[in-house]
Amino acid sequence: MVSDARFGIELYEDPTDRQTVDGASVLIVGHVWSPDAERIVETRDGRVLIIDPSGRNATGLNRSLADTEAFLEAFRVFYLGDRPPVAPPMTRDEARARLAALQRGETLTPPATPEPIPREERVRRLRRALDERDAPAVAPGTWWARILARPEFD
């Protein structure tokens, strides 16, 4: 299951339940916040929609489920940048060498950490990635456009 707590989206690994939307059968592939709330469905032509539990008020999400998963991944990468940078893990040989140096009483410099990517740059990268993946999904008035209107993306 793919999920994103910030948006309440949970995508099911092996969806099997179906629902009727506008007279057509759709596959329920996930939900937003709760299975009893908004549902995420995939149409026969592969589009992904958000619908209310009754099957009404369909709102386009993405052109495909793969695009929805890619959007969630792009947002995950964006939010990871809010964490302080961490040093990459050491190999076993590097750890042994550092331990040996400490045992000899040598003062060691801390491992190099990557430079943090400024928030403005991460926002620019996020918007570019979303636009390249599924530009209609971020057009004004869409579900994703409302997400991108939040203050952290200005």
Side-chain angles (χ1 to χ4, degrees), residues 29-80:
V29 297
H31 63 263
V32 180
W33 297 118
S34 162
D36 298 329
E38 292 177 306
R39 296 178 179 157
I40 301 172
V41 300
E42 183 178 34
T43 63
R44 288 202 189 280
D45 65 0
R47 289 177 302 123
V48 178
L49 310 172
I50 293 181
I51 60 170
D52 65 26
S54 68
R56 289 186 228 123
N57 301 315
T59 302
L61 193 61
N62 288 102
R63 291 180 301 199
S64 71
L65 190 55
D67 288 338
T68 301
E69 291 171 344
F71 271 46
L72 292 175
E73 176 62 14
F75 277 100
R76 185 188 73 78
V77 168
F78 169 81
Y79 282 115
L80 280 176

Side-chain angles (χ1 to χ4, degrees), residues 72-141:
L72 292 175
E73 176 62 14
F75 277 100
R76 185 188 73 78
V77 168
F78 169 81
Y79 282 115
L80 280 176
D82 285 339
R83 298 179 181 170
V86 295
M90 289 187 274
T91 66
R92 182 174 280 145
D93 289 339
E94 289 170 332
R96 284 184 180 136
R98 288 185 68 79
L99 180 58
L102 286 171
Q103 289 171 338
R104 290 189 302 269
E106 297 174 15
T107 304
L108 301 175
T109 58
T113 58
E115 284 293 317
I117 299 171
R119 186 170 200 75
E120 301 79 36
E121 173 64 17
R122 289 186 296 114
V123 167
R124 200 171 96 259
R125 289 180 185 185
L126 171 67
R127 289 180 181 272
R128 185 176 58 233
L130 300 179
D131 196 49
E132 288 173 358
R133 182 69 194 220
D134 187 359
V138 292

